[in-house]
Amino acid sequence: MKKSFNIHHLIRPNVARLQPYSSARDEFKDVDQEMVFLDANENPFDNGVNRYPDPQQRILKSVLATQKNVQTEQILLGNGSDEVLDLLFRAFCEPNVANVLTLPPTYGMYKVLAGINAVTNREVLLTKDFELDVSEILKQQDEHSKLLFICSPNNPTGTIFNKEAVSELLEKFKGIVVIDEAYIDFSEIESWITRLSEYPNLVVTQTLSKAYGMAGIRLGICYASAEIISVLNKIKPPYNVNELTQQRALERLHNILDIKSEIEVLLKEKRKLENALADVTFIENIYASEANFILVKVDNAAKRYEQLILQGIVTRNRSNQPLCENTLRFTVGTPKENNKLITTLKSLQ
Ligand SMILES: *Cc1c(COP(=O)(O)O)cnc(C)c1O
């Protein structure tokens, strides 16, 4: 449980003062009665998408709130989690003043977003076994440190972090701790969403892009205190989640059993891949993965990457990331795709 935390010290002054844009759909939302809508300059002829979408995505949020056991006021939806992460920068990080802490090797967008927003990115490497270096992270924070990004399960390593270490950071980091759970649905570990009431500085991001199989519709989800969500709501573009996305997401969320069975297949395929990779002579290490990908250390990543391309298989060479020299990342594909990867790897000279 975190005691002293005052979000008002963290918000950018211009955001705190901001009067948000009020859209037509914000100003009138009592939809119980049949109304004639002549307020938003839309084309009135119905084609399914001629009206602006609900800027607060209330139906979608209510389904998510039930499934995740949170209040709808604790949810913000974005055009992918990348938009959600960008909103966090824009709400809390004063350009050329603030800094954020990121923990490489990790997801590359945090650094890019820091660059776009003119915010210093303080990097604290993970330890050699891909754990959090808690004391070094805390040593690097100062009064301008606004966000700390913890990706768990982590991309590209696939590993998860020690729970006590994460708790300690939530207790001792003075800014907002963002836990990126893009891969949580592949893991046995409990989501940090369940701890939101204990940590007022906690933000959890999830996405429909990975386990939910909807990368194409762009839907990212942010769970946090109602206070943090209201700040993000102030600055988000009014119609940031389009109507088609809201509809497709709802359909998918109503078929949660389909998603669960796809995850089962992918996890089984991952175990199959891991077993097979152990027999490939040039693979030196297979990192324990809690996600839908496997990071492996090979003899020569550039060479193996090219050889796989020539056989029609695209993987990710992660060698430019610290602690990831000569590593390749394999996403778990369909059973057929995985078999092709295995056969090809075993045939390479
Ligand atoms: C893929 C991924 C995301 C997803 O981003 P979207 O914009 O929601 O598609 C977020 N974080 C990490 C760590 C990822 O690997």
Side-chain angles (χ1 to χ4, degrees):
M1 183 70 85
K2 190 173 177 94
K3 285 165 212 89
S4 66
F5 179 74
N6 186 343
I7 193 185
H8 302 290
H9 298 324
L10 288 177
I11 306 171
R12 286 172 62 195
N14 65 309
V15 172
R17 284 192 304 268
L18 189 77
Q19 184 62 39
Y21 175 74
S22 179
S23 69
R25 287 295 166 270
D26 274 324
E27 286 178 13
F28 186 86
K29 39 185 166 208
D30 179 10
V31 282
D32 288 344
Q33 232 193 104
E34 260 315 284
M35 302 300 284
V36 176
F37 285 103
L38 304 176
D39 56 349
N41 302 344
E42 298 147 328
N43 178 327
F45 301 110
D46 188 6
N47 61 17
V49 288
N50 58 310
R51 297 293 178 183
Y52 279 103
D54 175 5
Q56 282 303 324
Q57 309 99 18
R58 281 165 295 165
I59 301 175
L60 192 46
K61 281 184 188 167
S62 71
V63 173
L64 285 167
T66 308
Q67 291 186 355
K68 301 289 176 174
N69 196 22
V70 297
Q71 304 294 311
T72 51
E73 295 75 25
Q74 292 179 286
I75 306 176
L76 176 115
L77 302 179
N79 184 17
S81 24
D82 289 344
E83 182 184 40
V84 170
L85 298 171
D86 187 53
L87 288 173
L88 288 163
F89 273 93
R90 294 201 281 148
F92 298 109
C93 299
E94 193 65 23
N96 303 309
V97 178
N99 66 70
V100 298
L101 272 65
T102 63
L103 316 174
T106 193
Y107 186 47
M109 272 310 280
Y110 314 137
K111 183 184 194 163
V112 172
L113 289 169
I116 292 170
N117 288 286
V119 169
T120 304
N121 176 30
R122 292 193 178 170
E123 299 190 326
V124 180
L125 291 196
L126 299 179
T127 63
K128 281 200 180 51
D129 48 0
F130 298 146
E131 268 298 345
L132 298 164
D133 188 346
V134 174
S135 62
E136 189 57 31
I137 294 167
L138 292 173
K139 211 189 284 173
Q140 288 296 325
Q141 79 165 328
D142 64 19
E143 73 271 28
H144 299 301
S145 303
K146 302 291 180 174
L147 306 171
L148 163 63
F149 291 95
I150 299 176
C151 185
S152 182
N154 189 34
N155 179 5
T157 60
T159 50
I160 47 169
F161 298 119
N162 178 286
K163 216 169 160 178
E164 284 67 43
V166 177
S167 295
E168 187 177 351
L169 289 171
L170 280 161
E171 294 282 351
K172 295 184 180 165
F173 185 71
K174 296 192 186 73
I176 287 174
V177 178
V178 183
I179 304 188
D180 183 340
E181 293 188 335
Y183 299 97
I184 190 70
D185 305 287
F186 296 107
S187 172
E188 293 286 303
I189 58 162
E190 190 177 47
S191 166
W192 284 89
I193 291 178
T194 57
R195 313 290 294 276
L196 282 171
S197 59
E198 285 166 69
Y199 298 108
N201 60 335
L202 170 61
V203 167
V204 178
T205 62
Q206 296 186 356
T207 176
L208 295 205
S209 295
K210 305 287 158 59
Y212 283 68
M214 307 212 95
I217 70 169
R218 312 305 301 128
L219 190 78
I221 311 158
C222 175
Y223 300 97
S225 71
E227 228 175 357
I228 292 178
I229 295 300
S230 73
V231 177
L232 300 177
N233 254 325
K234 255 175 105 165
I235 64 168
K236 83 174 185 69
Y239 303 112
N240 62 328
V241 179
N242 72 68
E243 181 64 28
L244 299 175
T245 294
Q246 294 188 42
Q247 288 175 10
R248 289 296 295 269
L250 269 173
E251 272 172 42
R252 188 74 167 148
L253 290 172
H254 284 131
N255 291 306
I256 212 86
L257 290 177
D258 290 353
I259 301 168
K260 291 219 161 97
S261 71
E262 288 181 13
I263 292 173
E264 279 311 308
V265 173
L266 292 171
L267 291 179
K268 199 167 137 238
E269 283 294 307
K270 180 173 74 172
R271 289 188 287 274
K272 179 183 90 180
L273 259 179
E274 284 168 338
N275 288 333
L277 294 174
D279 295 334
V280 177
T281 50
F282 59 83
I283 291 181
E284 296 166 4
N285 199 356
I286 305 164
Y287 297 96
S289 166
E290 295 272 336
N292 65 331
F293 55 83
I294 304 171
L295 188 76
V296 297
K297 195 177 225 18
V298 298
D299 55 347
N300 181 339
K303 172 181 158 186
R304 301 306 178 183
Y305 176 84
E306 282 305 325
Q307 286 179 322
L308 287 168
I309 292 280
L310 288 174
Q311 301 300 318
I313 301 175
V314 187
T315 64
R316 203 88 200 269
N317 184 350
R318 294 285 75 192
S319 300
N320 57 357
Q321 287 258 350
L323 308 175
C324 292
E325 200 190 336
N326 279 322
T327 57
L328 295 177
R329 192 189 68 196
F330 304 140
T331 306
V332 179
T334 62
K336 194 171 158 215
E337 291 169 337
N338 301 327
N339 291 340
K340 176 168 173 165
L341 175 66
I342 293 167
T343 322
T344 307
L345 284 171
K346 287 186 173 169
S347 74
L348 296 183
Q349 298 293 308

